[in-house]
Amino acid sequence: MSVTVRVPAKVNLQLGVGPLRDDGYHDLVNVFHAVSLFDEVTVAEGPLAVTVEGASIEGVPAGPDNLAARAARLLAEHLGVPPEASIHIRKEIPVAGGMAGGSADAAAALLACAELWNPKLPRQTLMDLGAELGSDVPFALLGGTAVGVGRGEVLTPLPTKGEFAWVFALADGGLSTPAVYAECDRLRAAFEQEAVWPHESPALLAALAGGDAKALGAALSNDLQPAALSLMPALHRTITAGRDFGALGALVSGSGPTCAFLAADAEHAADLAAALGGAGVARAVVRAGGPVPGATVL
Ligand code: C5P
């Protein structure tokens, strides 16, 4: 018997980064938005193993170091069963791209293994176990649009209206999330900028609730963007090109280096994607819509 779970990527609509905590994390106000770029994770009963398939999977650990294998081990421990999970990942979410692909795979592995080992397990238990694996894992289970506080793992769903049309510019190479947070701290210290306690943006919440793409574009923000641009200066050109081609909003997704551009509608997104693709400012350009549901058993 095997179970396949489809799980979405995320983009951060607001990433407010507070001061560095004693535990090495930062308090966040993190507005997550699930978009229609999906990984598919299939788990069959068998010895614990991870295989990965996809166009651009360099750097994804196969085997026991993959976060999906850690997810299977954690759930097996919790349930007191042997970690019999042969995991296969079909990757579409960009690797090390700031779209939570690794976290998505862990979330999908948790859900698929639960389906095999104890289908009645409440989602909340999976979300709690997910938070132990990584700050972005619970949101990959929840999906939609939600605000995360704490490390980003304490989630409240947000009301939205309609669908938003996105274009994503994928970069050559990835950025390490801890390195981007560390660069954020370094830049703040160098420029004597005190980290302020982040708050949800009322303009962003209103734009989401009203389905107002123009207002949403204007309200997007990411406190990690200066750090990502500092580590990968070529992203300046990508962001500027998107703005020049008429994106309603342009920002680095999470810790980057993927850049996200909001379009007015699907037609505008197609034009924007073609223009960005032709400008030579990205390794690849993809379109997606959001919000979409979280990890789902197929
Ligand atoms: O939780 P996760 O393992 O995904 O976090 C990866 C890294 O990102 C952490 O080790 C930390 O350096 C950084 N991080 C942070 N504050 C957060 C979330 C992540 O500093 N709220």
Side-chain angles (χ1 to χ4, degrees), residues 164-203:
F164 295 101
W166 294 92
V167 176
F168 295 99
L170 316 191
D172 274 320
L175 282 172
S176 135
T177 302
V180 175
Y181 274 100
E183 180 67 0
C184 175
D185 292 334
R186 191 191 70 77
L187 289 174
R188 282 175 170 176
F191 292 98
E192 291 177 10
Q193 263 176 5
E194 203 157 324
V196 290
W197 197 258
H199 291 282
E200 288 167 30
S201 153

PDB file of all heavy atoms in Angstrom, residues 164-203:
ATOM      1  N   PHE A 164      -5.208  35.288  -6.379  1.00  0.00           N
ATOM      2  CA  PHE A 164      -4.158  36.224  -6.783  1.00  0.00           C
ATOM      3  C   PHE A 164      -3.229  35.521  -7.772  1.00  0.00           C
ATOM      4  O   PHE A 164      -2.951  34.331  -7.639  1.00  0.00           O
ATOM      5  CB  PHE A 164      -3.391  36.720  -5.563  1.00  0.00           C
ATOM      6  CG  PHE A 164      -4.236  37.535  -4.613  1.00  0.00           C
ATOM      7  CD1 PHE A 164      -4.743  36.977  -3.442  1.00  0.00           C
ATOM      8  CD2 PHE A 164      -4.566  38.855  -4.909  1.00  0.00           C
ATOM      9  CE1 PHE A 164      -5.543  37.712  -2.573  1.00  0.00           C
ATOM     10  CE2 PHE A 164      -5.367  39.611  -4.049  1.00  0.00           C
ATOM     11  CZ  PHE A 164      -5.853  39.031  -2.882  1.00  0.00           C
ATOM     12  N   ALA A 165      -2.782  36.278  -8.784  1.00  0.00           N
ATOM     13  CA  ALA A 165      -1.934  35.721  -9.850  1.00  0.00           C
ATOM     14  C   ALA A 165      -0.487  36.137  -9.619  1.00  0.00           C
ATOM     15  O   ALA A 165      -0.184  37.334  -9.524  1.00  0.00           O
ATOM     16  CB  ALA A 165      -2.418  36.227 -11.215  1.00  0.00           C
ATOM     17  N   TRP A 166       0.389  35.155  -9.541  1.00  0.00           N
ATOM     18  CA  TRP A 166       1.796  35.384  -9.196  1.00  0.00           C
ATOM     19  C   TRP A 166       2.728  34.942 -10.319  1.00  0.00           C
ATOM     20  O   TRP A 166       2.427  33.989 -11.056  1.00  0.00           O
ATOM     21  CB  TRP A 166       2.172  34.586  -7.940  1.00  0.00           C
ATOM     22  CG  TRP A 166       1.467  35.043  -6.715  1.00  0.00           C
ATOM     23  CD1 TRP A 166       0.288  34.565  -6.212  1.00  0.00           C
ATOM     24  CD2 TRP A 166       1.877  36.100  -5.843  1.00  0.00           C
ATOM     25  NE1 TRP A 166      -0.049  35.258  -5.077  1.00  0.00           N
ATOM     26  CE2 TRP A 166       0.895  36.202  -4.827  1.00  0.00           C
ATOM     27  CE3 TRP A 166       2.982  36.970  -5.821  1.00  0.00           C
ATOM     28  CZ2 TRP A 166       0.995  37.146  -3.801  1.00  0.00           C
ATOM     29  CZ3 TRP A 166       3.061  37.902  -4.791  1.00  0.00           C
ATOM     30  CH2 TRP A 166       2.088  37.988  -3.801  1.00  0.00           C
ATOM     31  N   VAL A 167       3.873  35.603 -10.388  1.00  0.00           N
ATOM     32  CA  VAL A 167       4.976  35.155 -11.241  1.00  0.00           C
ATOM     33  C   VAL A 167       6.197  35.022 -10.337  1.00  0.00           C
ATOM     34  O   VAL A 167       6.460  35.915  -9.514  1.00  0.00           O
ATOM     35  CB  VAL A 167       5.253  36.176 -12.367  1.00  0.00           C
ATOM     36  CG1 VAL A 167       6.464  35.753 -13.182  1.00  0.00           C
ATOM     37  CG2 VAL A 167       4.020  36.331 -13.252  1.00  0.00           C
ATOM     38  N   PHE A 168       6.915  33.917 -10.477  1.00  0.00           N
ATOM     39  CA  PHE A 168       8.113  33.695  -9.667  1.00  0.00           C
ATOM     40  C   PHE A 168       9.338  33.590 -10.568  1.00  0.00           C
ATOM     41  O   PHE A 168       9.332  32.847 -11.557  1.00  0.00           O
ATOM     42  CB  PHE A 168       7.971  32.424  -8.828  1.00  0.00           C
ATOM     43  CG  PHE A 168       6.874  32.542  -7.811  1.00  0.00           C
ATOM     44  CD1 PHE A 168       5.615  31.998  -8.050  1.00  0.00           C
ATOM     45  CD2 PHE A 168       7.080  33.238  -6.635  1.00  0.00           C
ATOM     46  CE1 PHE A 168       4.596  32.139  -7.124  1.00  0.00           C
ATOM     47  CE2 PHE A 168       6.062  33.389  -5.699  1.00  0.00           C
ATOM     48  CZ  PHE A 168       4.817  32.837  -5.944  1.00  0.00           C
ATOM     49  N   ALA A 169      10.376  34.350 -10.219  1.00  0.00           N
ATOM     50  CA  ALA A 169      11.644  34.287 -10.940  1.00  0.00           C
ATOM     51  C   ALA A 169      12.611  33.458 -10.106  1.00  0.00           C
ATOM     52  O   ALA A 169      12.944  33.844  -8.976  1.00  0.00           O
ATOM     53  CB  ALA A 169      12.185  35.695 -11.161  1.00  0.00           C
ATOM     54  N   LEU A 170      13.021  32.312 -10.643  1.00  0.00           N
ATOM     55  CA  LEU A 170      13.936  31.426  -9.913  1.00  0.00           C
ATOM     56  C   LEU A 170      15.365  31.842 -10.217  1.00  0.00           C
ATOM     57  O   LEU A 170      15.689  32.217 -11.348  1.00  0.00           O
ATOM     58  CB  LEU A 170      13.705  29.969 -10.316  1.00  0.00           C
ATOM     59  CG  LEU A 170      12.258  29.485 -10.430  1.00  0.00           C
ATOM     60  CD1 LEU A 170      12.210  27.967 -10.563  1.00  0.00           C
ATOM     61  CD2 LEU A 170      11.413  29.933  -9.252  1.00  0.00           C
ATOM     62  N   ALA A 171      16.211  31.772  -9.196  1.00  0.00           N
ATOM     63  CA  ALA A 171      17.597  32.221  -9.342  1.00  0.00           C
ATOM     64  C   ALA A 171      18.523  31.035  -9.584  1.00  0.00           C
ATOM     65  O   ALA A 171      18.167  29.886  -9.303  1.00  0.00           O
ATOM     66  CB  ALA A 171      18.020  32.963  -8.088  1.00  0.00           C
ATOM     67  N   ASP A 172      19.706  31.338 -10.100  1.00  0.00           N
ATOM     68  CA  ASP A 172      20.776  30.340 -10.151  1.00  0.00           C
ATOM     69  C   ASP A 172      21.302  30.165  -8.739  1.00  0.00           C
ATOM     70  O   ASP A 172      21.723  31.129  -8.116  1.00  0.00           O
ATOM     71  CB  ASP A 172      21.920  30.840 -11.040  1.00  0.00           C
ATOM     72  CG  ASP A 172      21.673  30.519 -12.492  1.00  0.00           C
ATOM     73  OD1 ASP A 172      21.184  29.409 -12.774  1.00  0.00           O
ATOM     74  OD2 ASP A 172      21.951  31.390 -13.335  1.00  0.00           O
ATOM     75  N   GLY A 173      21.266  28.963  -8.220  1.00  0.00           N
ATOM     76  CA  GLY A 173      21.787  28.730  -6.874  1.00  0.00           C
ATOM     77  C   GLY A 173      20.750  29.069  -5.826  1.00  0.00           C
ATOM     78  O   GLY A 173      19.684  29.627  -6.132  1.00  0.00           O
ATOM     79  N   GLY A 174      21.049  28.727  -4.587  1.00  0.00           N
ATOM     80  CA  GLY A 174      20.108  28.970  -3.495  1.00  0.00           C
ATOM     81  C   GLY A 174      20.737  29.842  -2.427  1.00  0.00           C
ATOM     82  O   GLY A 174      21.897  30.247  -2.535  1.00  0.00           O
ATOM     83  N   LEU A 175      19.960  30.172  -1.406  1.00  0.00           N
ATOM     84  CA  LEU A 175      20.479  30.888  -0.240  1.00  0.00           C
ATOM     85  C   LEU A 175      20.131  30.054   0.989  1.00  0.00           C
ATOM     86  O   LEU A 175      19.053  29.453   1.051  1.00  0.00           O
ATOM     87  CB  LEU A 175      19.829  32.272  -0.115  1.00  0.00           C
ATOM     88  CG  LEU A 175      20.341  33.377  -1.044  1.00  0.00           C
ATOM     89  CD1 LEU A 175      19.462  34.625  -0.923  1.00  0.00           C
ATOM     90  CD2 LEU A 175      21.794  33.736  -0.722  1.00  0.00           C
ATOM     91  N   SER A 176      21.050  30.030   1.956  1.00  0.00           N
ATOM     92  CA  SER A 176      20.793  29.289   3.191  1.00  0.00           C
ATOM     93  C   SER A 176      19.995  30.183   4.134  1.00  0.00           C
ATOM     94  O   SER A 176      20.376  31.331   4.387  1.00  0.00           O
ATOM     95  CB  SER A 176      22.130  28.864   3.804  1.00  0.00           C
ATOM     96  OG  SER A 176      22.131  29.115   5.184  1.00  0.00           O
ATOM     97  N   THR A 177      18.893  29.662   4.646  1.00  0.00           N
ATOM     98  CA  THR A 177      18.021  30.472   5.517  1.00  0.00           C
ATOM     99  C   THR A 177      18.779  31.014   6.740  1.00  0.00           C
ATOM    100  O   THR A 177      18.699  32.217   7.006  1.00  0.00           O
ATOM    101  CB  THR A 177      16.784  29.645   5.937  1.00  0.00           C
ATOM    102  OG1 THR A 177      16.114  29.236   4.752  1.00  0.00           O
ATOM    103  CG2 THR A 177      15.838  30.455   6.809  1.00  0.00           C
ATOM    104  N   PRO A 178      19.529  30.169   7.495  1.00  0.00           N
ATOM    105  CA  PRO A 178      20.266  30.727   8.638  1.00  0.00           C
ATOM    106  C   PRO A 178      21.242  31.826   8.221  1.00  0.00           C
ATOM    107  O   PRO A 178      21.402  32.820   8.939  1.00  0.00           O
ATOM    108  CB  PRO A 178      21.023  29.518   9.209  1.00  0.00           C
ATOM    109  CG  PRO A 178      20.289  28.326   8.717  1.00  0.00           C
ATOM    110  CD  PRO A 178      19.668  28.704   7.413  1.00  0.00           C
ATOM    111  N   ALA A 179      21.873  31.691   7.044  1.00  0.00           N
ATOM    112  CA  ALA A 179      22.827  32.712   6.581  1.00  0.00           C
ATOM    113  C   ALA A 179      22.107  34.027   6.308  1.00  0.00           C
ATOM    114  O   ALA A 179      22.644  35.107   6.598  1.00  0.00           O
ATOM    115  CB  ALA A 179      23.552  32.215   5.330  1.00  0.00           C
ATOM    116  N   VAL A 180      20.898  33.960   5.784  1.00  0.00           N
ATOM    117  CA  VAL A 180      20.154  35.196   5.476  1.00  0.00           C
ATOM    118  C   VAL A 180      19.711  35.880   6.774  1.00  0.00           C
ATOM    119  O   VAL A 180      19.829  37.101   6.914  1.00  0.00           O
ATOM    120  CB  VAL A 180      18.958  34.906   4.543  1.00  0.00           C
ATOM    121  CG1 VAL A 180      18.126  36.161   4.320  1.00  0.00           C
ATOM    122  CG2 VAL A 180      19.458  34.359   3.201  1.00  0.00           C
ATOM    123  N   TYR A 181      19.225  35.087   7.744  1.00  0.00           N
ATOM    124  CA  TYR A 181      18.887  35.687   9.047  1.00  0.00           C
ATOM    125  C   TYR A 181      20.131  36.314   9.697  1.00  0.00           C
ATOM    126  O   TYR A 181      20.051  37.394  10.276  1.00  0.00           O
ATOM    127  CB  TYR A 181      18.270  34.644   9.986  1.00  0.00           C
ATOM    128  CG  TYR A 181      16.774  34.479   9.815  1.00  0.00           C
ATOM    129  CD1 TYR A 181      16.250  33.423   9.070  1.00  0.00           C
ATOM    130  CD2 TYR A 181      15.882  35.370  10.400  1.00  0.00           C
ATOM    131  CE1 TYR A 181      14.872  33.266   8.924  1.00  0.00           C
ATOM    132  CE2 TYR A 181      14.511  35.228  10.255  1.00  0.00           C
ATOM    133  CZ  TYR A 181      14.012  34.166   9.516  1.00  0.00           C
ATOM    134  OH  TYR A 181      12.656  34.033   9.369  1.00  0.00           O
ATOM    135  N   ALA A 182      21.273  35.637   9.601  1.00  0.00           N
ATOM    136  CA  ALA A 182      22.501  36.167  10.207  1.00  0.00           C
ATOM    137  C   ALA A 182      22.914  37.466   9.511  1.00  0.00           C
ATOM    138  O   ALA A 182      23.358  38.423  10.163  1.00  0.00           O
ATOM    139  CB  ALA A 182      23.623  35.125  10.111  1.00  0.00           C
ATOM    140  N   GLU A 183      22.750  37.512   8.187  1.00  0.00           N
ATOM    141  CA  GLU A 183      23.082  38.734   7.443  1.00  0.00           C
ATOM    142  C   GLU A 183      22.132  39.862   7.844  1.00  0.00           C
ATOM    143  O   GLU A 183      22.546  41.032   7.949  1.00  0.00           O
ATOM    144  CB  GLU A 183      23.001  38.464   5.926  1.00  0.00           C
ATOM    145  CG  GLU A 183      23.320  39.645   5.032  1.00  0.00           C
ATOM    146  CD  GLU A 183      24.777  40.114   5.088  1.00  0.00           C
ATOM    147  OE1 GLU A 183      25.582  39.521   5.828  1.00  0.00           O
ATOM    148  OE2 GLU A 183      25.097  41.113   4.396  1.00  0.00           O
ATOM    149  N   CYS A 184      20.882  39.554   8.089  1.00  0.00           N
ATOM    150  CA  CYS A 184      19.909  40.545   8.555  1.00  0.00           C
ATOM    151  C   CYS A 184      20.385  41.145   9.886  1.00  0.00           C
ATOM    152  O   CYS A 184      20.401  42.364  10.054  1.00  0.00           O
ATOM    153  CB  CYS A 184      18.536  39.872   8.691  1.00  0.00           C
ATOM    154  SG  CYS A 184      17.240  40.898   9.392  1.00  0.00           S
ATOM    155  N   ASP A 185      20.815  40.281  10.814  1.00  0.00           N
ATOM    156  CA  ASP A 185      21.322  40.768  12.113  1.00  0.00           C
ATOM    157  C   ASP A 185      22.580  41.616  11.914  1.00  0.00           C
ATOM    158  O   ASP A 185      22.756  42.651  12.552  1.00  0.00           O
ATOM    159  CB  ASP A 185      21.659  39.581  13.036  1.00  0.00           C
ATOM    160  CG  ASP A 185      20.420  38.813  13.463  1.00  0.00           C
ATOM    161  OD1 ASP A 185      19.329  39.413  13.498  1.00  0.00           O
ATOM    162  OD2 ASP A 185      20.553  37.596  13.744  1.00  0.00           O
ATOM    163  N   ARG A 186      23.457  41.161  10.995  1.00  0.00           N
ATOM    164  CA  ARG A 186      24.717  41.883  10.762  1.00  0.00           C
ATOM    165  C   ARG A 186      24.431  43.277  10.207  1.00  0.00           C
ATOM    166  O   ARG A 186      25.003  44.271  10.667  1.00  0.00           O
ATOM    167  CB  ARG A 186      25.601  41.096   9.785  1.00  0.00           C
ATOM    168  CG  ARG A 186      27.032  41.625   9.676  1.00  0.00           C
ATOM    169  CD  ARG A 186      27.812  41.014   8.527  1.00  0.00           C
ATOM    170  NE  ARG A 186      27.361  41.425   7.215  1.00  0.00           N
ATOM    171  CZ  ARG A 186      27.626  42.593   6.637  1.00  0.00           C
ATOM    172  NH1 ARG A 186      28.361  43.497   7.266  1.00  0.00           N
ATOM    173  NH2 ARG A 186      27.161  42.886   5.436  1.00  0.00           N
ATOM    174  N   LEU A 187      23.533  43.361   9.216  1.00  0.00           N
ATOM    175  CA  LEU A 187      23.217  44.657   8.612  1.00  0.00           C
ATOM    176  C   LEU A 187      22.585  45.589   9.644  1.00  0.00           C
ATOM    177  O   LEU A 187      22.897  46.779   9.699  1.00  0.00           O
ATOM    178  CB  LEU A 187      22.257  44.474   7.423  1.00  0.00           C
ATOM    179  CG  LEU A 187      22.849  43.824   6.166  1.00  0.00           C
ATOM    180  CD1 LEU A 187      21.754  43.564   5.131  1.00  0.00           C
ATOM    181  CD2 LEU A 187      23.943  44.717   5.556  1.00  0.00           C
ATOM    182  N   ARG A 188      21.700  45.031  10.487  1.00  0.00           N
ATOM    183  CA  ARG A 188      21.053  45.861  11.505  1.00  0.00           C
ATOM    184  C   ARG A 188      22.092  46.433  12.464  1.00  0.00           C
ATOM    185  O   ARG A 188      22.024  47.592  12.849  1.00  0.00           O
ATOM    186  CB  ARG A 188      20.007  45.040  12.261  1.00  0.00           C
ATOM    187  CG  ARG A 188      18.731  44.867  11.460  1.00  0.00           C
ATOM    188  CD  ARG A 188      17.746  43.948  12.157  1.00  0.00           C
ATOM    189  NE  ARG A 188      16.454  43.993  11.482  1.00  0.00           N
ATOM    190  CZ  ARG A 188      15.412  43.246  11.816  1.00  0.00           C
ATOM    191  NH1 ARG A 188      15.497  42.391  12.815  1.00  0.00           N
ATOM    192  NH2 ARG A 188      14.274  43.357  11.152  1.00  0.00           N
ATOM    193  N   ALA A 189      23.070  45.584  12.845  1.00  0.00           N
ATOM    194  CA  ALA A 189      24.110  46.048  13.767  1.00  0.00           C
ATOM    195  C   ALA A 189      24.988  47.084  13.078  1.00  0.00           C
ATOM    196  O   ALA A 189      25.306  48.133  13.652  1.00  0.00           O
ATOM    197  CB  ALA A 189      24.944  44.860  14.246  1.00  0.00           C
ATOM    198  N   ALA A 190      25.361  46.818  11.815  1.00  0.00           N
ATOM    199  CA  ALA A 190      26.267  47.716  11.091  1.00  0.00           C
ATOM    200  C   ALA A 190      25.635  49.091  10.905  1.00  0.00           C
ATOM    201  O   ALA A 190      26.327  50.108  10.952  1.00  0.00           O
ATOM    202  CB  ALA A 190      26.637  47.107   9.744  1.00  0.00           C
ATOM    203  N   PHE A 191      24.335  49.128  10.684  1.00  0.00           N
ATOM    204  CA  PHE A 191      23.654  50.416  10.448  1.00  0.00           C
ATOM    205  C   PHE A 191      22.944  50.922  11.704  1.00  0.00           C
ATOM    206  O   PHE A 191      22.123  51.835  11.635  1.00  0.00           O
ATOM    207  CB  PHE A 191      22.681  50.295   9.261  1.00  0.00           C
ATOM    208  CG  PHE A 191      23.396  50.096   7.955  1.00  0.00           C
ATOM    209  CD1 PHE A 191      23.555  48.823   7.412  1.00  0.00           C
ATOM    210  CD2 PHE A 191      23.961  51.173   7.284  1.00  0.00           C
ATOM    211  CE1 PHE A 191      24.237  48.626   6.222  1.00  0.00           C
ATOM    212  CE2 PHE A 191      24.645  50.990   6.082  1.00  0.00           C
ATOM    213  CZ  PHE A 191      24.783  49.716   5.554  1.00  0.00           C
ATOM    214  N   GLU A 192      23.293  50.289  12.845  1.00  0.00           N
ATOM    215  CA  GLU A 192      22.717  50.668  14.137  1.00  0.00           C
ATOM    216  C   GLU A 192      21.199  50.804  14.082  1.00  0.00           C
ATOM    217  O   GLU A 192      20.610  51.746  14.599  1.00  0.00           O
ATOM    218  CB  GLU A 192      23.365  51.970  14.648  1.00  0.00           C
ATOM    219  CG  GLU A 192      24.811  51.734  15.019  1.00  0.00           C
ATOM    220  CD  GLU A 192      25.539  52.994  15.456  1.00  0.00           C
ATOM    221  OE1 GLU A 192      24.874  54.015  15.657  1.00  0.00           O
ATOM    222  OE2 GLU A 192      26.764  52.928  15.598  1.00  0.00           O
ATOM    223  N   GLN A 193      20.592  49.835  13.377  1.00  0.00           N
ATOM    224  CA  GLN A 193      19.131  49.807  13.288  1.00  0.00           C
ATOM    225  C   GLN A 193      18.619  48.875  14.356  1.00  0.00           C
ATOM    226  O   GLN A 193      18.958  47.698  14.360  1.00  0.00           O
ATOM    227  CB  GLN A 193      18.711  49.203  11.945  1.00  0.00           C
ATOM    228  CG  GLN A 193      18.399  50.203  10.896  1.00  0.00           C
ATOM    229  CD  GLN A 193      18.088  49.486   9.588  1.00  0.00           C
ATOM    230  OE1 GLN A 193      18.021  48.260   9.522  1.00  0.00           O
ATOM    231  NE2 GLN A 193      17.919  50.272   8.561  1.00  0.00           N
ATOM    232  N   GLU A 194      17.812  49.404  15.237  1.00  0.00           N
ATOM    233  CA  GLU A 194      17.269  48.535  16.263  1.00  0.00           C
ATOM    234  C   GLU A 194      16.149  47.685  15.659  1.00  0.00           C
ATOM    235  O   GLU A 194      15.319  48.213  14.909  1.00  0.00           O
ATOM    236  CB  GLU A 194      16.741  49.357  17.419  1.00  0.00           C
ATOM    237  CG  GLU A 194      16.712  48.527  18.673  1.00  0.00           C
ATOM    238  CD  GLU A 194      16.730  49.393  19.914  1.00  0.00           C
ATOM    239  OE1 GLU A 194      17.391  50.444  19.907  1.00  0.00           O
ATOM    240  OE2 GLU A 194      16.076  48.985  20.867  1.00  0.00           O
ATOM    241  N   ALA A 195      16.150  46.383  15.971  1.00  0.00           N
ATOM    242  CA  ALA A 195      15.075  45.511  15.477  1.00  0.00           C
ATOM    243  C   ALA A 195      13.809  45.848  16.251  1.00  0.00           C
ATOM    244  O   ALA A 195      13.786  45.752  17.469  1.00  0.00           O
ATOM    245  CB  ALA A 195      15.451  44.058  15.688  1.00  0.00           C
ATOM    246  N   VAL A 196      12.786  46.282  15.540  1.00  0.00           N
ATOM    247  CA  VAL A 196      11.536  46.614  16.237  1.00  0.00           C
ATOM    248  C   VAL A 196      10.626  45.396  16.255  1.00  0.00           C
ATOM    249  O   VAL A 196      10.733  44.502  15.418  1.00  0.00           O
ATOM    250  CB  VAL A 196      10.798  47.795  15.563  1.00  0.00           C
ATOM    251  CG1 VAL A 196      11.564  49.089  15.772  1.00  0.00           C
ATOM    252  CG2 VAL A 196      10.555  47.521  14.102  1.00  0.00           C
ATOM    253  N   TRP A 197       9.745  45.376  17.233  1.00  0.00           N
ATOM    254  CA  TRP A 197       8.785  44.297  17.347  1.00  0.00           C
ATOM    255  C   TRP A 197       7.809  44.385  16.177  1.00  0.00           C
ATOM    256  O   TRP A 197       7.162  45.402  15.989  1.00  0.00           O
ATOM    257  CB  TRP A 197       8.053  44.440  18.683  1.00  0.00           C
ATOM    258  CG  TRP A 197       7.360  43.202  19.078  1.00  0.00           C
ATOM    259  CD1 TRP A 197       6.026  42.955  18.969  1.00  0.00           C
ATOM    260  CD2 TRP A 197       7.956  42.036  19.628  1.00  0.00           C
ATOM    261  NE1 TRP A 197       5.759  41.700  19.414  1.00  0.00           N
ATOM    262  CE2 TRP A 197       6.923  41.108  19.837  1.00  0.00           C
ATOM    263  CE3 TRP A 197       9.270  41.675  19.961  1.00  0.00           C
ATOM    264  CZ2 TRP A 197       7.151  39.853  20.353  1.00  0.00           C
ATOM    265  CZ3 TRP A 197       9.493  40.427  20.482  1.00  0.00           C
ATOM    266  CH2 TRP A 197       8.447  39.522  20.671  1.00  0.00           C
ATOM    267  N   PRO A 198       7.690  43.345  15.330  1.00  0.00           N
ATOM    268  CA  PRO A 198       6.851  43.480  14.138  1.00  0.00           C
ATOM    269  C   PRO A 198       5.348  43.389  14.431  1.00  0.00           C
ATOM    270  O   PRO A 198       4.940  42.732  15.380  1.00  0.00           O
ATOM    271  CB  PRO A 198       7.295  42.294  13.272  1.00  0.00           C
ATOM    272  CG  PRO A 198       7.903  41.316  14.209  1.00  0.00           C
ATOM    273  CD  PRO A 198       8.391  42.054  15.408  1.00  0.00           C
ATOM    274  N   HIS A 199       4.572  44.076  13.619  1.00  0.00           N
ATOM    275  CA  HIS A 199       3.097  44.048  13.721  1.00  0.00           C
ATOM    276  C   HIS A 199       2.505  43.693  12.373  1.00  0.00           C
ATOM    277  O   HIS A 199       3.095  44.020  11.340  1.00  0.00           O
ATOM    278  CB  HIS A 199       2.564  45.414  14.153  1.00  0.00           C
ATOM    279  CG  HIS A 199       2.915  45.756  15.560  1.00  0.00           C
ATOM    280  ND1 HIS A 199       2.245  45.227  16.634  1.00  0.00           N
ATOM    281  CD2 HIS A 199       3.900  46.534  16.072  1.00  0.00           C
ATOM    282  CE1 HIS A 199       2.789  45.675  17.751  1.00  0.00           C
ATOM    283  NE2 HIS A 199       3.813  46.464  17.430  1.00  0.00           N
ATOM    284  N   GLU A 200       1.340  43.075  12.412  1.00  0.00           N
ATOM    285  CA  GLU A 200       0.632  42.811  11.153  1.00  0.00           C
ATOM    286  C   GLU A 200       0.311  44.125  10.472  1.00  0.00           C
ATOM    287  O   GLU A 200      -0.043  45.091  11.133  1.00  0.00           O
ATOM    288  CB  GLU A 200      -0.698  42.099  11.440  1.00  0.00           C
ATOM    289  CG  GLU A 200      -0.545  40.676  11.863  1.00  0.00           C
ATOM    290  CD  GLU A 200      -1.850  40.135  12.437  1.00  0.00           C
ATOM    291  OE1 GLU A 200      -2.927  40.584  12.019  1.00  0.00           O
ATOM    292  OE2 GLU A 200      -1.762  39.263  13.314  1.00  0.00           O
ATOM    293  N   SER A 201       0.416  44.140   9.143  1.00  0.00           N
ATOM    294  CA  SER A 201       0.082  45.345   8.383  1.00  0.00           C
ATOM    295  C   SER A 201      -1.421  45.400   8.132  1.00  0.00           C
ATOM    296  O   SER A 201      -1.969  44.537   7.444  1.00  0.00           O
ATOM    297  CB  SER A 201       0.838  45.316   7.045  1.00  0.00           C
ATOM    298  OG  SER A 201       0.129  46.050   6.075  1.00  0.00           O
ATOM    299  N   PRO A 202      -2.107  46.427   8.684  1.00  0.00           N
ATOM    300  CA  PRO A 202      -3.554  46.540   8.447  1.00  0.00           C
ATOM    301  C   PRO A 202      -3.867  46.668   6.949  1.00  0.00           C
ATOM    302  O   PRO A 202      -4.878  46.115   6.483  1.00  0.00           O
ATOM    303  CB  PRO A 202      -3.948  47.818   9.195  1.00  0.00           C
ATOM    304  CG  PRO A 202      -2.853  48.047  10.187  1.00  0.00           C
ATOM    305  CD  PRO A 202      -1.609  47.496   9.570  1.00  0.00           C
ATOM    306  N   ALA A 203      -3.017  47.365   6.192  1.00  0.00           N
ATOM    307  CA  ALA A 203      -3.274  47.535   4.755  1.00  0.00           C
ATOM    308  C   ALA A 203      -3.224  46.183   4.036  1.00  0.00           C
ATOM    309  O   ALA A 203      -4.016  45.903   3.132  1.00  0.00           O
ATOM    310  CB  ALA A 203      -2.227  48.486   4.152  1.00  0.00           C
TER     311      ALA A 203
END
